[in-house]
Amino acid sequence: MALLTFSKTVLKNLFSEPETLNYPATPREYPERSRGHIEIDIENCIFCGMCMRNCPPRAITVDRAKGTWTINRFDCIQCNYCSEVCPKKCLHIAPGYCEPGVEKVDSVIERPGGPLPMPKPPVKKPVPPKAPAAEDKKADEKAADSKAEDTKAETSGSTNPNVPRNDIDNCVFCTLCARNCPVDALTVNRAEKVWEVDEDTCVGCGMCVSNCPKKCLSIG
Amino acid sequence: MSKKTIIPFGPQHPVLPEPIHLDLVLEDETVVDAIPSIGFIHRGLESLVEKKDFNEMVYVAERVCGICSFMHGMGYCEAVEHLMEVEIPDRAKYLRTVWCEFSRLHSHLLWLGLLADGFGFEALFNEAWRIREKVLDMVELTTGGRLISSVNRVGGVLKDITPDMQKAMLDAVDKIEKELKPVANTFLNDYTVKSRLCGSGILSKEDAIALGACGPMMRASGIEVDMRKTGYAAYDNIDFDVITSNDCDGYARCQVRIGELFQSINIVRQAFAKMPEGEELSVKPKGNPNGEYLMRVEQPRGEAFYYVEGSGKKILDRFRVRTPTFANLAPLVHTLKGAPFADIPLLVLTIDPCISCTER
Amino acid sequence: MIRSMIIIIGFIVLAPFIGGLLEGIDRKISARMQRRVGPPITQPFMDVAKLFNKEFLSVNKQQLFLLLAHLFFVVFAGSMFFIGSDLLMVFFSLSTAAMFMVMAASSTHTPYTGVGTMRELMQMMCCEPMELLTAVGFYLASGMAKTGIEKSFLVSDLIHSNVSAIMYLPGFFIGFVFILTIKFRKSPFDLSTSHHAHQEVVKGITAEFSGGAYAITEIAEWYEEVMLLAVVGLFIVNSNPISYLVAALVVIFVYFLEILIDNTSARVKWDLMFKITWGVIIVFGGINLFLLENVSSFMKFFQ
């Protein structure tokens, strides 16, 4: 029969320093990797919206027109997925939790110097009048063109998985992708049925893919 | 006296860590019947799989429950990895093993604390949780979160354990082992503690099988079953024995879990010794998941399984978790019948209930 | 008479402060035993002040009256003790107080208090015999000591004995200290209600007391604590003034021992509590009583 087995530990504890902190009066020190809150280098942000679309609790709102990046810190679950997917790596997580509050508030971060310049509006070239003869004439050229584009797109896709690929047969050249591209890496010419991507400028954010009405673009 | 009283036990009750409701039919202080009802914290996390792509779903899966978080994330990832036929780097496997065992350590210490609290032993409760804090500090140091680690991804892990961290973890493990000894001694040998644990909540070997118990509950009834032996993560290269006990009572369950604490410490040491060097922590899966897979993982509370089904899209069709607590509810109700009222908290705790997991 | 009045007023005013302070110290020491920082020593007073600000809510308004009666009898018992009155009466009014507590709790008819009340009665069954035995012990011991006074139950006579009562009553002392664990509601015998709500019966017998009603039980507990510790002191006190100092040290030691036991044991079930306490009472109290009786008859025989 072992009575008061624990007394040795208890008495030892009585004469030791307490392990608890008088929190929050005594602040806690967090380790370097501690996931407390998301910080953004707004200067580098290209407002592509990847974080917004991949945030599991949908706590982030990116407004390209206003140049604001908004996070609801009360909704954020500190999973760090936004910084994983950020093409510009301008998001990172830092120690220090969100202060408690009585209501959920958004914290809005504005881009200094206003919003990013909007991409150029699509060049509204007058649609060539329907001239069946002319079209017939150019038919061969166009076919050759589009084929060349197609192969180009395919090869670009195979070498670099982070650049969008276009299934040119389904493309209607609506230019939505180009208009939504945050870095203007896409060139679309409806008249000449040209779809080009500048691999060096492209950040692989996937904006074009998500905006494509025909779902002919793919990435990854 | 044969007057029956019905005591509503829960969903909000100080001894219950999580909401479960039991209607206890008492005759004097003896429970003659117990009717459980669950469903107080259902959050519909499984159906979120229809909205999130399979990479994003990792973060949802690991938030099924705070205590079992790492293993939920890992179970989901392993299932999807099998589905997509991804072979993850060796180092990642060992890192997962280390984190798994750290979650087992903190979960079992949490349980010990709650059990001590259940029988009114506050100092023991605080001591167990104080030791647990050391485990959590190490988890926070390496993953960035105390409970929810967010280091798993489909194809490997996101963060490495640097040599400095490895040293800190091994030091912590030594210290934990030293401090755990008096705690384990009190749980297993103290007169008042034994008077509470011995002979309470008998679940015979036959009943355990018939009612489909799992985890420490099963092992305490003398059945050798441990999903770690199926060899997920790096467990196929780790040398360990399944801890069992033949007493079938609350004391046996305590004994099994304390044994597993020391075993986990050994596994952590083994995993660090065998861990290969390497920069590569994850591989990027190609394409989208297609087909179905069923993954079984040994959670601290027992066997959990993860079912995933994909049809070649970015978004999975189905994700299903069956958690150990769900399996252990039937044995719990079985042990409650005929138990004295004073034993109810102990019996509810001996299955190590994790209601959040159960209801998802 | 005036002296008695002053003592009574002094007791009524000072005892809650001493009791509350003791509880504060208890909480601090317990916290440090568990490696916690712990609450400030004045925390019990702040708790009670807060309770008085809360709404009194009960299904039966009678509860408040019964609780006030409980408080009254505890204060009454304490006052009787300190003015040097009959020890037997002191313990009887303490039992009456406990009965009022039981009635207050059972007036609400809820399952949790129901179980708590049953357990409280069980606890009373365990500690009342020892309380009465203690009174009897003091009576017998007073006759043993060569004081020139007759055997007496009066506290005022007992403190003028020339030998400390503990010399004749070591077994009674052990038994009384043992049941203090029940009286102070500490592990391993905090069955009916505990200082922590982490129990199957939640707060047991006090579960249905809210706001001011609960504050009254807390205050009554402080009075009771002071009184019971004074009984522990009575074991030591004799006509020598130094014995008061020794008594204070013994009381502090006993209180520390209670805290230690509280922190090193699990809550046992009622049947085990019954066996243990009766075992201790019969072994220590019984043997002591037996020896005391025989020794005194031997002495009488020789006289």
Side-chain angles (χ1 to χ4, degrees):
Chain A
M1 198 163 90
L3 275 171
L4 309 185
T5 325
F6 206 49
S7 49
K8 204 179 142 197
T9 316
V10 159
L11 289 174
K12 211 174 93 193
N13 281 349
L14 181 61
F15 300 105
S16 319
E17 279 288 297
E19 287 249 330
T20 51
L21 283 180
N22 197 5
Y23 187 82
T26 321
R28 181 171 184 257
E29 279 173 33
Y30 296 103
E32 192 191 340
R33 281 186 182 179
S34 171
R35 297 193 317 274
H37 66 283
I38 291 284
E39 281 177 353
I40 184 168
D41 293 333
I42 197 77
E43 284 87 5
N44 293 336
C45 179
I46 53 166
F47 296 90
C48 65
M50 283 289 273
C51 45
M52 174 170 72
R53 270 169 284 121
N54 281 291
C55 175
R58 303 283 182 263
I60 301 174
T61 323
V62 181
D63 196 327
R64 192 174 160 73
K66 287 186 192 150
T68 56
W69 184 87
T70 312
I71 184 168
N72 189 326
R73 300 212 181 272
F74 294 87
D75 280 351
C76 174
I77 54 169
Q78 291 99 17
C79 66
N80 204 24
Y81 194 44
C82 49
S83 98
E84 292 289 322
V85 295
C86 179
K88 296 290 283 182
K89 297 287 163 229
C90 64
L91 287 173
H92 57 270
I93 199 150
Y97 297 110
C98 170
E99 292 271 314
V102 286
E103 61 184 305
K104 289 183 171 189
V105 282
D106 287 333
S107 47
V108 182
I109 291 145
E110 270 180 58
R111 184 176 185 273
L116 274 179
M118 287 298 274
K120 285 152 255 151
V123 194
K124 282 207 172 170
K125 278 185 185 171
V127 181
K130 277 187 183 174
E135 193 152 346
D136 277 342
K137 235 189 203 173
K138 283 184 184 171
D140 287 346
E141 271 177 54
K142 267 180 199 162
D145 255 43
S146 62
K147 246 179 205 163
E149 284 303 325
D150 205 354
T151 43
K152 193 183 171 187
E154 292 281 20
T155 44
S156 79
S158 59
T159 51
N160 188 351
N162 291 327
V163 164
R165 275 179 296 161
N166 192 356
D167 180 6
I168 210 89
D169 293 340
N170 290 330
C171 183
V172 293
F173 301 95
C174 65
T175 72
L176 260 174
C177 48
R179 266 185 284 162
N180 278 297
C181 179
V183 286
D184 295 326
L186 291 167
T187 324
V188 184
N189 191 326
R190 190 181 291 173
E192 288 167 16
K193 294 211 188 300
V194 171
W195 184 91
E196 268 181 353
V197 54
D198 184 351
E199 277 190 44
D200 299 329
T201 333
C202 175
V203 290
C205 66
M207 281 288 267
C208 47
V209 179
S210 56
N211 279 299
C212 181
K214 295 293 285 182
K215 300 284 171 241
C216 61
L217 291 177
S218 60
I219 194 163
Chain B
M1 205 165 89
S2 64
K3 203 183 129 211
K4 282 184 185 171
T5 27
I6 295 177
I7 292 203
F9 201 79
Q12 297 300 326
H13 191 289
V15 297
L16 293 174
E18 283 179 276
I20 180 172
H21 178 81
L22 293 165
D23 273 315
L24 301 171
V25 185
L26 289 195
E27 249 174 39
D28 248 359
E29 275 213 34
T30 311
V31 180
V32 289
D33 204 2
I35 305 140
S37 42
I38 57 171
F40 295 94
I41 38 167
H42 174 65
R43 289 150 292 159
L45 291 181
E46 275 174 350
S47 76
L48 271 182
V49 80
E50 293 159 18
K51 288 190 181 144
K52 315 266 167 196
D53 80 46
F54 71 93
N55 283 316
E56 205 180 333
M57 192 61 196
V58 179
Y59 300 100
V60 178
E62 66 179 10
R63 277 163 179 81
V64 163
C65 158
I67 305 298
C68 329
S69 165
F70 181 84
M71 292 200 205
H72 278 313
M74 190 193 72
Y76 169 80
C77 286
E78 294 243 345
V80 178
E81 280 154 15
H82 279 286
L83 204 57
M84 301 174 79
E85 286 162 359
V86 180
E87 181 65 28
I88 71 164
D90 276 349
R91 190 172 171 84
K93 287 184 181 171
Y94 279 93
L95 289 174
R96 278 184 181 178
T97 311
V98 168
W99 279 317
C100 266
E101 289 313 314
F102 264 80
S103 13
R104 194 179 314 280
L105 274 175
H106 94 67
S107 175
H108 278 356
L109 281 167
L110 170 111
W111 179 80
L112 283 179
L114 290 175
L115 184 75
D117 197 36
F119 53 62
F121 201 149
E122 286 80 24
L124 195 56
F125 154 72
N126 273 299
E127 189 72 7
W129 279 35
R130 191 175 67 79
I131 301 172
R132 175 173 179 258
E133 211 55 35
K134 292 196 179 4
V135 183
L136 292 182
D137 282 349
M138 285 303 117
V139 176
E140 190 180 22
L141 179 76
T142 50
T143 70
R146 274 161 49 87
L147 290 167
I148 302 204
S149 49
S150 291
V151 283
N152 274 306
R153 69 178 297 167
V154 176
V157 291
L158 287 164
K159 285 172 186 161
D160 196 6
I161 295 181
T162 62
D164 286 353
M165 289 175 181
Q166 181 173 334
K167 196 177 166 295
M169 278 175 123
L170 285 171
D171 288 349
V173 152
D174 290 342
K175 210 167 176 190
I176 291 161
E177 194 177 34
K178 196 171 141 259
E179 289 184 350
L180 206 54
K181 277 181 180 146
V183 174
N185 180 38
T186 311
F187 269 108
L188 298 177
N189 297 321
D190 189 77
Y191 174 71
T192 48
V193 175
K194 272 178 98 172
S195 83
R196 292 306 300 270
L197 289 177
C198 286
S200 68
I202 304 268
L203 182 72
S204 69
K205 199 170 175 173
E206 293 73 30
D207 286 339
I209 295 170
L211 294 164
C214 69
M217 195 80 176
M218 194 79 154
R219 294 197 278 277
S221 293
I223 301 153
E224 212 172 282
V225 56
D226 193 325
M227 287 308 126
R228 284 180 287 180
K229 287 287 181 196
T230 58
Y232 61 90
Y235 282 112
D236 40 358
N237 298 323
I238 302 275
D239 179 35
F240 69 98
D241 294 322
V242 179
I243 293 172
T244 57
S245 169
N246 288 320
D247 291 354
C248 306
D249 58 359
Y251 182 75
R253 281 161 223 154
C254 191
Q255 213 175 14
V256 165
R257 286 191 176 99
I258 285 175
E260 284 182 10
L261 278 171
F262 290 108
Q263 184 187 52
S264 283
I265 290 173
N266 277 333
I267 294 179
V268 168
R269 286 185 186 136
Q270 265 190 57
F272 274 128
K274 290 179 180 169
M275 192 183 287
E277 294 290 320
E279 289 293 305
E280 199 189 20
L281 294 174
S282 67
V283 287
K284 206 166 181 195
K286 291 233 161 36
N288 289 329
N290 195 359
E292 57 178 356
Y293 195 81
L294 202 151
M295 178 74 204
R296 294 195 295 172
V297 163
E298 183 71 21
Q299 290 266 18
R301 289 160 176 78
E303 170 197 346
F305 84 61
Y306 304 87
Y307 170 80
V308 288
E309 188 190 326
S311 52
K313 285 182 285 186
K314 257 185 131 54
I315 290 174
L316 288 169
D317 286 351
R318 186 89 173 88
F319 169 53
R320 171 92 174 91
V321 193
R322 185 184 182 270
T323 58
T325 305
F326 185 74
N328 276 335
L329 278 178
L332 167 70
V333 174
H334 176 79
T335 53
L336 284 182
K337 281 174 198 165
F341 182 55
D343 275 352
I344 301 301
L346 289 189
L347 296 182
V348 174
L349 284 168
T350 51
I351 71 158
D352 200 355
C354 187
I355 312 299
S356 297
C357 287
T358 311
E359 298 180 6
R360 305 171 300 279
Chain C
M1 188 64 199
I2 290 171
R3 194 172 158 271
S4 300
M5 288 305 285
I6 292 169
I7 288 175
I8 288 172
I9 291 166
F11 173 72
I12 290 172
V13 175
L14 285 179
F17 282 98
I18 297 167
L21 217 56
L22 277 175
E23 201 193 314
I25 292 166
D26 171 10
R27 284 167 76 167
K28 195 79 185 174
I29 289 177
S30 290
R32 296 304 291 265
M33 279 179 170
Q34 299 162 7
R35 294 284 289 272
R36 287 187 286 118
V37 172
I41 287 171
T42 49
Q43 189 67 41
F45 300 111
M46 293 192 259
D47 287 351
V48 163
K50 190 176 179 182
L51 281 172
F52 274 119
N53 283 328
K54 294 206 169 198
E55 192 185 358
F56 170 69
L57 206 64
S58 175
V59 289
N60 195 344
K61 287 278 181 287
Q62 213 184 349
Q63 191 190 60
L64 193 60
F65 166 74
L66 290 167
L67 274 176
L68 284 170
H70 166 69
L71 178 65
F72 172 79
F73 275 101
V74 171
V75 175
F76 180 71
S79 311
M80 292 258 290
F81 180 83
F82 280 100
I83 58 170
S85 184
D86 196 334
L87 200 57
L88 214 49
M89 277 301 287
V90 170
F91 283 124
F92 275 125
S93 41
L94 214 55
S95 309
T96 317
M99 273 324 291
F100 273 109
M101 172 79 142
V102 166
M103 285 190 319
S106 52
S107 68
T108 51
H109 305 287
T110 57
Y112 284 104
T113 36
V115 178
T117 313
M118 286 303 288
R119 290 183 179 182
E120 176 75 8
L121 291 172
M122 220 67 90
Q123 286 190 6
M124 280 166 71
M125 215 157 85
C126 291
C127 58
E128 303 274 283
M130 193 61 228
E131 285 174 24
L132 293 179
L133 266 182
T134 307
V136 173
F138 274 116
Y139 174 73
L140 292 174
S142 68
M144 299 289 297
K146 294 254 183 342
T147 50
I149 50 166
E150 281 300 297
K151 283 181 185 177
S152 167
F153 277 115
L154 294 179
V155 177
S156 52
D157 289 344
L158 295 176
I159 56 171
H160 293 304
S161 157
N162 56 358
V163 185
S164 294
I166 195 169
M167 301 306 284
Y168 300 104
L169 310 168
F172 284 86
F173 182 74
I174 292 170
F176 190 76
V177 169
F178 196 82
I179 61 140
L180 275 188
T181 318
I182 301 178
K183 277 283 173 192
F184 288 173
R185 307 194 188 286
K186 288 196 178 297
S187 281
F189 303 127
D190 51 352
L191 284 100
S192 72
T193 180
S194 146
H195 291 283
H196 317 269
H198 286 206
Q199 200 187 158
E200 62 277 2
V201 289
V202 195
K203 270 291 211 177
I205 190 165
T206 56
E208 289 299 320
F209 304 158
S210 66
Y214 188 60
I216 290 170
T217 31
E218 286 279 293
I219 292 169
E221 210 175 298
W222 294 344
Y223 277 112
E224 199 176 339
E225 209 166 283
V226 170
M227 205 219 91
L228 289 169
L229 286 174
V231 176
V232 173
L234 190 64
F235 275 98
I236 312 295
V237 166
N238 57 28
S239 49
N240 190 344
I242 296 169
S243 69
Y244 284 86
L245 192 69
V246 180
L249 289 175
V250 168
V251 164
I252 289 168
F253 174 73
V254 165
Y255 198 66
F256 180 77
L257 198 67
E258 292 298 335
I259 298 171
L260 186 69
I261 291 171
D262 186 32
N263 275 300
T264 51
S265 48
R267 181 184 304 121
V268 297
K269 280 184 256 182
W270 73 266
D271 42 356
L272 187 66
M273 171 186 77
F274 199 74
K275 279 179 210 153
I276 295 176
T277 37
W278 275 78
V280 168
I281 292 170
I282 288 167
V283 170
F284 290 101
I287 291 175
N288 200 163
L289 187 67
F290 177 76
L291 287 176
L292 212 55
E293 272 294 284
N294 286 359
V295 170
S296 62
S297 48
F298 268 126
M299 289 179 96
K300 263 187 197 141
F301 180 75
F302 284 114
Q303 276 167 3

